[in-house]
Amino acid sequence: MTSVDLQDVSTQLNNKITSIKRSMQLKNMCNDPSLTSVLQKIGLELSSIRDVLDIFQMQIQQQKTELRSLQEMKNAVQRNAEIAHHLLENIPAHLPKKAVEASTVDAKDVKVQKVTASSEPEKNSVKNKHFIREMEYLLMDEFNQVPGYMKGRMTYDQINAVVKEINATVKAKYKILNQPMKSMSNTTRNQYHAFKEQETKETKGQYFFVEADIKDFTRLKVDKKFHVILNILRHCHRLREVRGNNLVRYVLL
């Protein structure tokens, strides 16, 4: 056995001997009447300290539980922040916009007619006449539900870019149709009559466009890609076709 081991053994034995001596001293103190009251006070203090330690332990356990809850809340906030940042970085170029229904506008006009002078209904009827419906932009969920064979490599933004151009076409077309004949130039008057000739019983009261309108009012190419997008929009219930007289009319839904 090395000297280091003997020294450790000696230290341990000395510690035990010291502990035994202290125990004997305390035992002897119990037999001394003059020290009994001191020992009782010490016992009470130890009991009080034990109660305080129990309270501390309960508070520590409670704080651990609160700490876990706060950590879970922190993780949830971080996840929400990441989601919000992702949404901020990936805002669609064209957000869907709910078109105002003509029936809603008519209902408002009826209320206005009941409470305003005779000149007011005329103004409102003019506004109704000039109301032009727009096609709603495609939602991402709708785009994801389009069959893969139908959309091919077409992207969400490409489709909504065409929707934007279609709305511009319809707006330009019906702006001419709502324009007073007296204010029209010869070119505009010819367009007006051409638009009127395109109308049928099925398109009465509806907003529609034809391929020639796309060529006249936008820079879009009426090619295979364009027809694929029209097919997707028809699948998503944004438009329907009305055929007749060798002409395809795309009616907004």
Side-chain angles (χ1 to χ4, degrees):
M1 184 176 294
T2 63
S3 59
V4 176
D5 294 335
L6 290 174
Q7 185 176 357
D8 291 338
V9 171
S10 176
T11 301
Q12 292 178 6
L13 289 174
N14 289 331
N15 290 336
K16 288 183 179 181
I17 291 171
T18 301
S19 178
I20 292 172
K21 288 181 178 180
R22 289 177 180 174
S23 299
M24 295 299 294
Q25 290 174 354
L26 290 173
K27 184 178 180 180
N28 293 330
M29 289 174 63
C30 294
N31 298 324
D32 189 348
S34 63
L35 299 176
T36 302
S37 60
V38 176
L39 291 174
Q40 290 177 348
K41 290 181 180 180
I42 293 174
L44 292 174
E45 291 293 334
L46 290 174
S47 178
S48 176
I49 292 173
R50 188 181 298 110
D51 293 338
V52 173
L53 289 175
D54 290 340
I55 294 174
F56 283 166
Q57 188 174 5
M58 291 175 58
Q59 291 179 345
I60 290 172
Q61 189 62 35
Q62 182 179 358
Q63 289 179 356
K64 286 181 178 180
T65 303
E66 293 178 354
L67 182 61
R68 284 196 297 270
S69 299
L70 290 173
Q71 186 63 41
E72 292 175 357
M73 186 181 300
K74 178 183 176 182
N75 294 337
V77 171
Q78 288 178 344
R79 288 195 299 270
N80 291 336
E82 291 174 359
I83 293 173
H85 180 72
H86 175 75
L87 293 174
L88 182 63
E89 295 294 328
N90 296 274
I91 296 177
H94 306 286
L95 291 175
K97 181 173 63 177
K98 188 72 174 178
V100 180
E101 297 293 340
S103 59
T104 304
V105 180
D106 293 337
K108 291 180 179 179
D109 291 337
V110 171
K111 293 180 181 179
V112 173
Q113 289 177 1
K114 292 181 180 180
V115 295
T116 56
S118 59
S119 59
E120 290 299 323
E122 294 179 0
K123 292 180 181 180
N124 290 324
S125 63
V126 171
K127 290 181 180 179
N128 275 344
K129 185 178 179 181
H130 292 172
F131 167 78
I132 299 175
R133 183 171 182 173
E134 292 185 351
M135 180 185 296
E136 295 181 20
Y137 288 107
L138 210 63
L139 299 175
M140 181 59 73
D141 289 342
E142 293 176 302
F143 175 77
N144 291 334
Q145 292 175 5
V146 176
Y149 74 87
M150 185 179 295
K151 59 186 177 184
R153 297 183 179 180
M154 204 70 61
T155 66
Y156 174 77
D157 289 334
Q158 286 175 329
I159 295 174
N160 276 334
V162 172
V163 171
K164 181 179 179 181
E165 294 298 326
I166 288 175
N167 285 335
T169 298
V170 174
K171 183 177 180 180
K173 177 178 182 177
Y174 282 89
K175 183 178 180 181
I176 293 174
L177 286 171
N178 293 331
Q179 187 176 342
M181 292 288 290
K182 294 180 181 180
S183 62
M184 293 183 184
S185 63
N186 291 333
T187 302
T188 304
R189 191 176 290 109
N190 291 335
Q191 287 180 309
Y192 175 87
H193 291 302
F195 296 154
K196 283 295 185 181
E197 290 177 0
Q198 296 170 0
E199 295 180 352
T200 65
K201 292 181 179 180
E202 292 185 67
T203 62
K204 185 176 182 181
Q206 305 294 321
Y207 294 88
F208 71 93
F209 64 93
V210 299
E211 292 182 4
D213 299 332
I214 297 294
K215 295 177 181 178
D216 291 340
F217 296 113
T218 72
R219 295 182 179 181
L220 291 177
K221 293 182 180 180
V222 183
D223 52 11
K224 182 179 180 180
K225 178 180 176 181
F226 177 76
H227 284 95
V228 169
I229 293 178
L230 290 182
N231 191 33
I232 293 173
L233 293 175
R234 184 168 57 251
H235 175 79
C236 295
H237 305 289
R238 292 297 191 275
L239 54 82
R240 64 183 177 90
E241 292 183 0
V242 174
R243 298 175 180 268
N245 297 328
N246 298 321
L247 187 65
V248 180
R249 302 160 185 82
Y250 300 97
V251 181
L252 273 58
L253 296 178

